[in-house]
């Protein structure tokens, strides 16, 4: 399944920003994945949506809700 190089780049940027603890910027990068992927149905779009939700709905590090960002 072909994916946009730009969509993959936004996903990778989101991963890096998340690792750095820059949650807001990571979520913005994950949201850009859908805009960059013309089909909106690739695995990278699904992965970005999952990671964005994970950051959005998990609590801060050390909370009982999850690891957060």
């Amino acid at each position: 399944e072909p994916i946009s190089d730009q969509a993959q780049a936004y996903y990778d940027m989101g991963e890096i920003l998340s690792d750095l603890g820059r949650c807001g910027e990571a979520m913005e990068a994950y949201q850009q994945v859908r805009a960059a992927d013309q089909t909106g149905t690739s695995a990278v779009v699904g992965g970005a949506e999952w990671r964005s939700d994970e950051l959005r709905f998990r609590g801060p590090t050390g909370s009982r809700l999850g690891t957060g960002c």
Side-chain angles (χ1 to χ4, degrees), residues 14-67:
E15 291 293 285
I16 292 166
L17 291 166
S18 176
D19 288 344
L20 293 173
R22 294 164 58 180
C23 299
E25 292 170 275
M27 288 179 63
E28 288 175 19
Y30 291 131
Q31 291 169 358
Q32 290 299 317
V33 171
R34 180 176 282 286
D37 184 292
Q38 297 297 319
T39 68
T41 60
S42 72
V44 74
V45 171
E49 289 174 349
W50 185 86
R51 288 290 287 137
S52 181
D53 286 347
E54 183 179 46
L55 293 177
R56 213 169 124 208
F57 296 116
R58 286 198 173 183
T61 302
S63 79
R64 65 181 187 84
L65 297 174
T67 59

